[in-house]
Amino acid sequence: MATTSTTGSTLLQPLSNAVQLPIDQVNFVVGQLSALLAAVWFRTYLHSGKTSSFVRHVVATLLGLYLALFCFGWYALHFLVQSGISYCIMIGMGVEAMHRYCFVFALGYLIVCQITRVYIFDYGQYSADFSGPMMIITQKITSLAYEIHDGMFRKDEELTPSQRYLAVRRMPSLLEYLSYNCNFMGILAGPLCSYKDYIIFIEGRSYHVAQPDRDGKEEPPGARAEPSPNAAVTQKLLVCGLSLLVHLTVSNFFPVEHNIDEHFQATASWPTKVVYLYVSLLAARPKYYFAWTLADAINNAAGFGFRGYDEHGEARWDLVSNLRIRQIEMSTSFKMFLDNWNIQTALWLKRVCYERATVSPTIQTFVLSAIWHGVYPGYYLTFLTGVLMTLAARAVRSNFRHYFTQSPRLKLLYDVVTWATTQVAVSYTVVPFVLLSVKPSLTFYSSWYYCLHIAGILVLLLLPVKKTQRGKDTHKNAQLSRSKKFDEAASSSGQNSFSATNSVCSQDRDAASRHPSLDQ
């Protein structure tokens, strides 16, 4: 019998017993399926063309809070407390500094909740927990704080194109703020979206934008009928079904923990260890594919996620997509893997950390990512190893790739070798993320003689690191921006202006051009 303690509803305990899954996981899946049905109803009966933005905000918020109460019980109050105090900070601190206070408070509140959950209640428990939604809400709170700071304090010429597009020019109302943080489409599993894109959706302006036609000529707004998300939602639900099936079957045959089994370590050959490492981590990914793709489908079913048309005139519904499965499994570099895995979190890390840091932005970004994920030691081992692997892979790529681009055969050889290397390196890096604790993680690394750590260090010591021009420009612009702002502050007595480049910068360029005529 699958039993576990939960502060959420126990109405589905018989179903939990029947499927042999913890009640909180059953509540989560049923909650997401309910959100999917609610999304269809929301798009059909509360369409922006029929209903006011006020009603859409109220309904989206109330449905979200109900789902939170169903899944987490009184723990859902943390969502309101974190959002409410952050809103008071935004209002009370002023646009000049409130982004820093919001960042420290929201992240600090999340860390306290994670510490109490992990070390007081259920260390190692993988079932659904209230800190998961709080991670998304923390992203939203901090993102919006920086976007308001960019829009209401910094000058336009100080901003990057993506910052300029995402900048918020007025303070949100409390209802808009709660709707953005706690709406039913993203309350349980996200994904993160920008405040501006969410408001554009609620107000029904997503489709009223000039779009290029098949010949590349710009069509006037409203020239096309509103695109239907049904095909995109159906496709994503099929991916969800397949991912869930793989997770419930294949994953059980290849547990990651088997990598540290004493008999396996003592008897398996090195090729067997390498293949099993790759397969076990490959089998661990479908649960993320299921959760993130279902969350994406829910947003699309509500009409949110439209990102214009592609070069063939087909509607794109990937505005809030969190992963690209084919690109993940075919990654030929660490960068490519990170580009396509947890995309919205990578965008958040870029916007609030990487492009604003002036010292060691890569290291700062990985540290923030580890802190945000939680307090399990395995997370920190993974992200510290990730820093090393990322820097080493960057050095190898910059020093050797150009030798293999001269002919198709050499390029194919390079792609095959780098694919195999990348998949093994990623698997090696994320084992502690799954094992969680220090001892089993170090047991795994020691069984591999820390070989990839040593290889990464040797690469950084022996190969020259070529700083990209883009990285130089980012650092230089950041310095000029700060210098200009301090000079102006000194001469104008603090008068406000109203006027990283990481693995996903191309996503932000798309965002900057997505709705060029719609400034909030």
Side-chain angles (χ1 to χ4, degrees):
M1 179 179 294
T3 59
T4 186
S5 59
T6 180
T7 55
S9 172
T10 58
L11 180 66
L12 300 176
Q13 186 65 58
L15 177 60
S16 170
N17 297 336
V19 299
Q20 293 292 298
L21 288 174
I23 180 63
D24 52 354
Q25 290 187 4
V26 172
N27 284 349
F28 171 80
V29 173
V30 171
Q32 284 292 75
L33 294 177
S34 299
L36 180 65
L37 296 176
V40 175
W41 172 81
F42 190 82
R43 180 168 60 91
T44 304
Y45 295 100
L46 293 184
H47 190 277
S48 59
K50 305 175 182 177
T51 312
S52 68
S53 299
F54 175 81
V55 172
R56 283 164 63 86
H57 277 304
V58 169
V59 173
T61 305
L62 292 179
L63 285 175
L65 293 177
Y66 175 78
L67 289 176
L69 286 170
F70 176 79
C71 289
F72 309 111
W74 68 269
Y75 278 114
L77 291 176
H78 285 295
F79 308 162
L80 292 176
V81 172
Q82 186 187 32
S83 297
I85 295 179
S86 297
Y87 187 75
C88 291
I89 292 174
M90 285 172 46
I91 297 297
M93 291 298 178
V95 295
E96 180 177 358
M98 59 88 179
H99 60 298
R100 299 191 186 96
Y101 290 104
C102 281
F103 182 89
V104 171
F105 167 75
L107 192 62
Y109 194 95
L110 172 65
I111 293 171
V112 170
C113 289
Q114 288 172 329
I115 290 174
T116 57
R117 184 188 70 81
V118 169
Y119 292 104
I120 297 178
F121 297 112
D122 58 352
Y123 189 95
Q125 180 63 265
Y126 256 114
S127 52
D129 68 89
F130 73 98
S131 66
M134 285 190 66
M135 293 168 70
I136 306 299
I137 293 175
T138 299
Q139 289 181 332
K140 291 182 176 181
I141 289 171
T142 53
S143 294
L144 178 55
Y146 276 97
E147 289 160 6
I148 293 173
H149 174 74
D150 290 342
M152 298 181 65
F153 179 72
R154 300 176 67 191
K155 291 183 177 297
D156 278 357
E157 56 266 27
E158 297 177 333
L159 306 178
T160 66
S162 64
Q163 289 173 346
R164 194 174 301 117
Y165 167 75
L166 295 170
V168 176
R169 309 291 180 178
R170 66 170 179 83
M171 194 67 69
S173 68
L174 180 59
L175 175 61
E176 291 171 331
Y177 191 74
L178 289 177
S179 176
Y180 173 58
N181 285 344
C182 301
N183 66 82
F184 73 96
M185 299 175 292
I187 186 68
L188 298 184
L192 170 69
C193 63
S194 75
Y195 174 80
K196 194 165 189 178
D197 285 330
Y198 179 74
I199 293 299
I200 287 173
F201 156 71
I202 288 292
E203 295 178 355
R205 297 184 283 142
S206 303
Y207 315 112
H208 304 157
V209 189
Q211 299 287 349
D213 61 18
R214 292 178 183 271
D215 298 324
K217 298 178 180 179
E218 193 173 86
E219 296 178 344
R224 302 189 191 202
E226 182 176 308
S228 171
N230 292 341
V233 171
T234 300
Q235 180 183 13
K236 290 172 183 179
L237 291 179
L238 290 175
V239 172
C240 287
L242 180 61
S243 299
L244 183 61
L245 179 63
V246 172
H247 172 62
L248 295 177
T249 56
V250 178
S251 300
N252 294 330
F253 293 102
F254 301 100
V256 176
E257 292 76 10
H258 190 64
N259 285 285
I260 58 173
D261 179 78
E262 291 183 2
H263 178 72
F264 177 76
Q265 291 181 354
T267 60
S269 63
W270 268 105
T272 301
K273 289 182 179 180
V274 171
V275 171
Y276 187 85
L277 173 67
Y278 167 67
V279 172
S280 62
L281 271 298
L282 175 67
R285 289 199 280 268
K287 66 181 178 182
Y288 297 100
Y289 295 165
F290 167 76
W292 289 340
T293 305
L294 179 57
D296 192 9
I298 291 169
N299 282 271
N300 291 170
F304 186 35
F306 175 68
R307 194 156 71 101
Y309 298 91
D310 61 19
E311 63 273 15
H312 304 294
E314 300 295 329
R316 300 174 62 182
W317 287 93
D318 59 350
L319 176 63
V320 293
S321 294
N322 223 2
L323 76 169
R324 304 183 190 94
I325 297 175
R326 185 179 66 84
Q327 287 89 333
I328 288 171
E329 301 303 343
M330 299 303 295
S331 294
T332 57
S333 69
F334 226 84
K335 175 185 180 299
M336 184 177 177
F337 189 96
L338 295 177
D339 278 1
N340 296 287
W341 175 269
N342 207 352
I343 295 169
Q344 302 306 322
T345 293
L347 281 171
W348 172 70
L349 291 168
K350 170 185 182 289
R351 292 166 181 165
V352 304
C353 182
Y354 188 94
E355 68 181 10
R356 300 176 192 269
T358 56
V359 179
S360 303
T362 299
I363 295 176
Q364 288 191 41
T365 301
F366 272 100
V367 170
L368 174 59
S369 183
I371 293 173
W372 173 80
H373 273 89
V375 293
Y376 289 116
Y379 294 165
Y380 294 84
L381 288 174
T382 285
F383 287 107
L384 290 175
T385 303
V387 172
L388 176 61
M389 296 300 160
T390 300
L391 296 177
R394 185 182 299 167
V396 171
R397 181 181 179 86
S398 64
N399 281 277
F400 293 105
R401 185 178 183 274
H402 57 278
Y403 293 118
F404 293 89
T405 57
Q406 306 302 319
S407 72
R409 289 185 178 181
L410 286 177
K411 182 62 166 60
L412 177 61
L413 174 63
Y414 178 85
D415 288 342
V416 170
V417 172
T418 53
W419 172 83
T421 305
T422 297
Q423 297 301 324
V424 173
V426 168
S427 301
Y428 176 91
T429 300
V430 302
V431 165
F433 194 95
V434 179
L435 299 180
L436 301 179
S437 300
V438 172
K439 184 176 180 180
S441 300
L442 295 183
T443 297
F444 167 75
Y445 280 147
S446 63
S447 71
W448 277 60
Y449 304 102
Y450 296 90
C451 60
L452 295 190
H453 286 88
I454 295 172
I457 293 172
L458 290 176
V459 164
L460 294 179
L461 291 176
L462 299 177
L463 293 182
V465 178
K466 300 178 180 180
K467 190 171 184 179
T468 63
Q469 183 63 38
R470 187 169 56 185
K472 295 177 183 177
D473 292 343
T474 299
H475 182 71
K476 182 178 179 180
N477 290 340
Q479 289 180 322
L480 290 175
S481 173
R482 284 171 172 75
S483 176
K484 183 189 297 183
K485 183 164 36 178
F486 288 138
D487 290 344
E488 291 183 355
S491 63
S492 63
S493 302
Q495 182 179 6
N496 289 349
S497 168
F498 284 82
S499 48
T501 307
N502 78 338
S503 59
V504 285
C505 62
S506 61
Q507 288 282 322
D508 271 358
R509 284 197 295 270
D510 286 343
S513 60
R514 189 158 55 233
H515 302 299
S517 64
L518 299 178
D519 283 332
Q520 184 165 321

